[in-house]
Amino acid sequence: MSTNFLKTGFWIDYSKASSARAQILLEDYWAGVLTNAVAVLITSTSGPIFTLLIGPISFLWDKVPSRLKGRNAALARADGYHEIVHDAMMDLLDYIPLRPRGNHHRIPLDDDVVIPRRRRDGIEAVGAGSLIVIFLGLLLAIIVASILSVGIATDTTAISNSPKCGLYKYDPESRRMLGGSLEFEHRAETQSAAYAADCYGSSPLNAACPFSGDVCKSGKRGAFKLSTGLVSGAVLGINAVNPFFFSRTTICSPLVTGEKYVGIGMSPQGEAQWEYWYGPSLGSYTSANPVRVNSWEIKGYSTGIHCSNPTFDDGSFKPMPEFTAGPYPVTLIFISSHNILYHERRKDPIFPALQKANFPPTYRGPDLFYNNSTRAGVLGCTDQYQICITKSGPCWDNGNITKIFNDDEAMKSAESQNVTRLLLLALKYSSTCGSVQFRSAEALDAQKKIAHMQSLPLANQQWKVEAQSSFRTSLARMQLNVFDVVRGSASNFRGYRDKLPPKHRGLCQMVKIKGSGVKNISFSGLLGTVFAVGIVWTISRKIQTGSHKGRPVAVLIWERCWRPGCGWICALFPCASMVVHFASLQNICAVHQYNLTPTQPTELSMRTTIDVGKGGQIPATIATCTYSAAFAGK
């Protein structure tokens, strides 16, 4: 369904997650230009990123054993940035306590740092490994980010914007235009069937006979049910904040063909014919076909299809009371086989083959079977649909669908009204009748399996295969119905006129379709990339401050904003009074002016103030430190 006449520029795709809804539809050329520009923009951050990383790299470089490194001029010119990183890391390490070993004494804090040998070796090892990760990761990250920048080009989905959009009704002006409806409907069924074969599946269930009378051939529980369950209208391409929900259900069963409903009569040409009395359609009977077998007939199937829809009451077929299904549409399919040979005996009520074929004595082929009766099997189906505003309701079905226009919630806005109309237009021809009526035997899966005069293997219950096939086609027909409305497909056929009122034309720009020659750009992805690149470039700029040489904005932000703010954090959390052990792998406790020995357990705490920025200070107990004899004299 790739087309032109699409709404380009900014739009909202409501079927996506909130963060990904905003899209910009561009022609392929401009989408390519934009994605390439983003890739270049990302690559341009390699210099600023290295400027930001020179401090941490210098800090880690200091931790690499001297025997493994030489003089590095670039790191030596880190402009004091690595000292800032060092201080920041120490600030964080100060508050991570570990349990010491040996005897302990309490001592006050000091500014000096006593680092055990074991910790120093660990830092050196981690530092060396981190250098490798940073140097290789920086290059790899930039390359990967540049490649993935094409990900902001999402898909080719677009809002239809066709000037031919409309609700077309068949209204021929002359006899010469009478073929337009047949041509259009046949095309719709054929396209739906092709689309359904590739894209749709179904999960059938056994069900009760859907008809008012006891007319199902397999009994009261011999029917076959197929249903979608409640699904969002977004699957039909409806683009709205609330696209509502709908369900489609079809129930089929072979019908009785006893003497009450089937008999032999005479055709106008004086030939014997089978006549089926399920309700008036062709005169006094429903359908008819010849009794006599003609060996010169084309090998295959013939069908008679008769449809009734109580909601619209626009058909000539009026089923007998026992073949009605309340407010639901009814479709009866009469299927006859003609001179078809099967490779196995078949007991299917619609596709039987009980008679063994006779061949001359010289025949050496396999046994073949055929249907020795020209009487048709009858497959009856009912179709149901439901529309709900939410999964929890309110809902309307075939029987009360007209009441939806009286509901305040369904009619509260122009958008919700148009959603309702689009769903109704989609469901109107989504039925068994709308799947097979204009294709007749061509619609049968069994017809496609005839080679010369023989049938390829069929399912044991082929009638269920046919029910599934028509159901899948009816689902695809829903999508095609919506597409035909917003694209004005019927305008290309003779005899169709647009009957869509101007006040309802808002629905013409509420349906998504697959476009060609266009591509969507994720607005949030584009904006986020530009913002991130801007931030990197901004914080990597060097600014002259007082006696200092040019320093990156990131350093100034740390010194003037983040680091002073740590005082408030420590005031709010127990970390300000945390017990920090001297013998841990990270500690800032040291011997001050106190002369302590392991036999003189002393517990001291130090009251001090914490700078919170802008000249403000708050009192706090920094820590109560434990002194270990293992480190006495250091």
Side-chain angles (χ1 to χ4, degrees):
M1 295 184 181
S2 298
T3 58
N4 298 316
F5 296 117
L6 305 173
K7 184 180 179 181
T8 56
F10 184 84
W11 68 288
I12 302 295
D13 186 349
Y14 292 104
S15 65
K16 295 182 181 292
S18 299
S19 60
R21 286 180 177 178
Q23 305 285 326
I24 303 174
L25 186 71
L26 300 173
E27 295 180 3
D28 279 343
Y29 173 78
W30 292 110
V33 169
L34 187 57
T35 53
N36 289 333
V38 169
V40 172
L41 196 62
I42 293 174
T43 306
S44 71
T45 61
S46 57
I49 288 176
F50 186 77
T51 300
L52 293 173
L53 288 177
I54 190 67
I57 291 172
S58 178
F59 173 76
L60 293 174
W61 185 261
D62 289 341
K63 305 307 175 184
V64 177
S66 59
R67 65 181 181 276
L68 300 179
K69 65 181 179 180
R71 178 68 176 167
N72 190 297
L75 297 179
R77 295 194 300 268
D79 295 332
Y81 188 15
H82 62 288
E83 286 89 352
I84 300 296
V85 178
H86 176 277
D87 293 343
M89 294 181 69
M90 285 297 99
D91 287 343
L92 296 176
L93 294 176
D94 286 347
Y95 297 109
I96 307 178
L98 295 176
R99 188 175 297 280
R101 299 178 182 177
N103 298 320
H104 314 106
H105 299 277
R106 304 283 185 180
I107 65 169
L109 296 176
D110 195 33
D111 294 333
D112 298 328
V113 179
V114 180
I115 303 179
R117 173 83 181 179
R118 181 170 50 185
R119 181 189 178 201
R120 186 168 59 251
D121 292 342
I123 290 178
E124 291 175 349
V126 172
S130 299
L131 278 177
I132 297 174
V133 172
I134 289 175
F135 277 121
L136 296 180
L138 175 61
L139 178 61
L140 182 62
I142 294 174
I143 293 174
V144 171
S146 298
I147 294 173
L148 295 181
S149 64
V150 299
I152 65 172
T154 54
D155 52 37
T156 61
T157 303
I159 293 291
S160 175
N161 190 28
S162 174
K164 295 183 179 181
C165 171
L167 180 59
Y168 288 84
K169 300 291 186 180
Y170 188 58
D171 185 17
E173 295 178 349
S174 65
R175 287 180 174 271
R176 290 178 299 174
M177 305 175 70
L178 291 178
S181 176
L182 180 61
E183 184 181 1
F184 174 72
E185 294 295 339
H186 184 272
R187 179 205 65 94
E189 284 186 12
T190 302
Q191 287 187 349
S192 298
Y195 186 57
D198 294 333
C199 303
Y200 283 90
S202 55
S203 300
L205 299 169
N206 291 328
C209 182
F211 298 99
S212 300
D214 186 14
V215 294
C216 290
K217 198 165 189 175
S218 299
K220 294 183 178 180
R221 296 292 304 176
F224 191 60
K225 179 179 180 179
L226 303 110
S227 180
T228 62
L230 277 179
V231 294
S232 171
V235 302
L236 302 178
I238 298 175
N239 190 54
V241 176
N242 180 11
F244 292 7
F245 292 84
F246 73 92
S247 68
R248 265 284 290 114
T249 301
T250 293
I251 305 176
C252 296
S253 174
L255 301 182
V256 293
T257 54
E259 294 182 356
K260 180 179 179 181
Y261 305 109
V262 183
I264 297 177
M266 299 298 293
S267 71
Q269 291 77 27
E271 296 181 356
Q273 63 179 12
W274 291 106
E275 295 179 353
Y276 306 89
W277 304 307
Y278 291 79
S281 180
L282 302 176
S284 61
Y285 50 84
T286 309
S287 188
N289 65 275
V291 172
R292 187 172 65 88
V293 176
N294 187 339
S295 60
W296 294 102
E297 285 181 339
I298 295 175
K299 312 304 184 288
Y301 300 93
S302 63
T303 61
I305 300 168
H306 301 269
C307 312
S308 172
N309 190 338
T311 302
F312 299 105
D313 194 25
D314 55 359
S316 59
F317 173 49
K318 306 295 182 185
M320 296 173 65
E322 58 265 44
F323 294 104
T324 60
Y328 305 122
V330 170
T331 302
L332 302 187
I333 308 174
F334 298 82
I335 302 174
S336 303
S337 60
H338 305 278
N339 300 311
I340 304 172
L341 296 175
Y342 303 85
H343 288 261
E344 59 185 2
R345 196 184 304 272
R346 298 183 51 78
K347 297 182 180 180
D348 188 303
I350 306 297
F351 301 92
L354 301 174
Q355 184 68 36
K356 183 178 179 180
N358 295 319
F359 295 99
T362 55
Y363 176 73
R364 295 293 183 267
D367 290 340
L368 297 174
F369 302 86
Y370 69 99
N371 179 15
N372 61 341
S373 174
T374 58
R375 185 169 65 175
V378 185
L379 180 63
C381 296
T382 66
D383 297 289
Q384 307 169 15
Y385 64 74
Q386 189 178 47
I387 296 176
C388 302
I389 294 179
T390 66
K391 283 192 173 183
S392 58
C395 299
W396 299 265
D397 62 12
N398 305 62
N400 64 352
I401 193 61
T402 56
K403 294 182 180 179
I404 194 172
F405 293 103
N406 299 325
D407 184 81
D408 293 338
E409 183 70 16
M411 298 292 111
K412 70 177 182 180
S413 66
E415 182 179 89
S416 60
Q417 293 175 30
N418 288 329
V419 168
T420 302
R421 292 184 178 90
L422 284 170
L423 285 176
L424 287 173
L425 290 171
L427 290 163
K428 182 175 181 180
Y429 297 105
S430 174
S431 63
T432 304
C433 183
S435 302
V436 300
Q437 184 179 23
F438 289 91
R439 292 183 297 151
S440 301
E442 177 189 341
L444 299 177
D445 175 78
Q447 180 72 22
K448 300 179 180 67
K449 294 183 177 180
I450 296 177
H452 189 45
M453 59 184 300
Q454 297 183 32
S455 172
L456 299 177
L458 301 179
N460 290 334
Q461 292 183 303
Q462 182 64 23
W463 69 269
K464 291 186 177 181
V465 175
E466 304 298 344
Q468 284 181 290
S469 177
S470 66
F471 180 69
R472 290 195 297 265
T473 300
S474 73
L475 299 184
R477 183 72 189 266
M478 292 182 65
Q479 286 188 292
L480 189 64
N481 289 345
V482 173
F483 179 87
D484 285 342
V485 169
V486 298
R487 303 304 292 178
S489 302
S491 64
N492 299 319
F493 295 83
R494 296 174 298 171
Y496 282 90
R497 294 185 178 184
D498 183 12
K499 304 291 186 180
L500 184 64
K503 65 179 180 179
H504 298 157
R505 292 207 166 269
L507 60 81
C508 292
Q509 295 187 356
M510 288 184 58
V511 176
K512 298 182 298 181
I513 62 175
K514 290 291 183 182
S516 98
V518 294
K519 189 153 289 184
N520 279 309
I521 301 296
S522 171
F523 182 75
S524 58
L526 177 63
L527 190 63
T529 301
V530 173
F531 180 77
V533 170
I535 289 293
V536 170
W537 273 95
T538 300
I539 65 176
S540 65
R541 289 191 61 201
K542 292 187 177 182
I543 299 177
Q544 190 78 21
T545 57
S547 59
H548 294 283
K549 294 182 292 183
R551 311 182 80 190
V553 172
V555 174
L556 300 178
I557 293 175
W558 167 261
E559 289 180 328
R560 300 181 181 183
C561 301
W562 292 345
R563 193 174 186 184
C566 289
W568 288 111
I569 298 174
C570 291
L572 294 174
F573 295 95
C575 67
S577 59
M578 185 183 295
V579 175
V580 184
H581 299 291
F582 181 84
S584 65
L585 294 182
Q586 45 196 17
N587 203 314
I588 62 172
C589 293
V591 178
H592 198 41
Q593 69 265 27
Y594 302 101
N595 182 20
L596 303 176
T597 66
T599 59
Q600 294 176 310
T602 303
E603 181 173 323
L604 298 172
S605 63
M606 179 178 177
R607 294 287 297 179
T608 187
T609 60
I610 297 176
D611 186 3
V612 296
K614 296 184 178 179
Q617 292 183 335
I618 58 173
T621 299
I622 293 181
T624 302
C625 297
T626 302
Y627 172 78
S628 174
F631 295 94
K634 292 191 177 183

